[in-house]
Amino acid sequence: SRTRADLLRRLGLRVGPGATLRSHVYVHTLDDPLSIGEGTHVNQYCHFDCSSPVSIGRFCDVGFKTSFVTTNHRLETDFRRRRPAYGAGSITVEDH
């Protein structure tokens, strides 16, 4: 768990000391908008889809199969059923 946190730090993401990430945590990010605070635990099969910033505070527990999704699709269409994706806004989970 802590090895995964160390690996994410080496990849440039902000992961606080003592944070743990269980197996099968998926991070889809652009320009480093993910931040996980000190002592936070992220359980298995969590998904971070970070088209906009996602910030998890200090000493939080993220439950099994939780998804943080910041991508949305516009309602209009170009008659080929394609709807462009865009960042829908940031997500902030405060401490504790």
Side-chain angles (χ1 to χ4, degrees), residues 5-65:
D6 289 339
L7 179 60
L8 289 175
R9 272 189 219 100
R10 289 180 186 173
L11 292 172
L13 297 176
R14 294 181 303 272
V15 179
T20 56
L21 288 87
R22 299 292 303 269
S23 63
H24 299 87
V25 172
Y26 300 97
V27 179
H28 302 273
T29 182
L30 300 170
D31 301 325
D32 189 25
L34 176 62
S35 173
I36 299 174
E38 171 188 2
T40 289
H41 174 74
V42 179
N43 210 331
Q44 292 179 313
Y45 297 99
C46 289
H47 179 207
F48 294 92
D49 179 13
C50 305
S51 294
S52 296
V54 174
S55 176
I56 310 296
R58 298 171 45 230
F59 305 107
C60 295
D61 289 321
V62 178
F64 180 76
K65 288 191 175 182

Side-chain angles (χ1 to χ4, degrees), residues 73-86:
H73 294 275
R74 300 197 189 283
L75 295 177
E76 66 269 4
T77 182
D78 66 358
F79 299 106
R80 288 179 275 177
R81 303 191 73 122
R82 294 185 311 170
R83 296 183 175 131
Y86 66 95

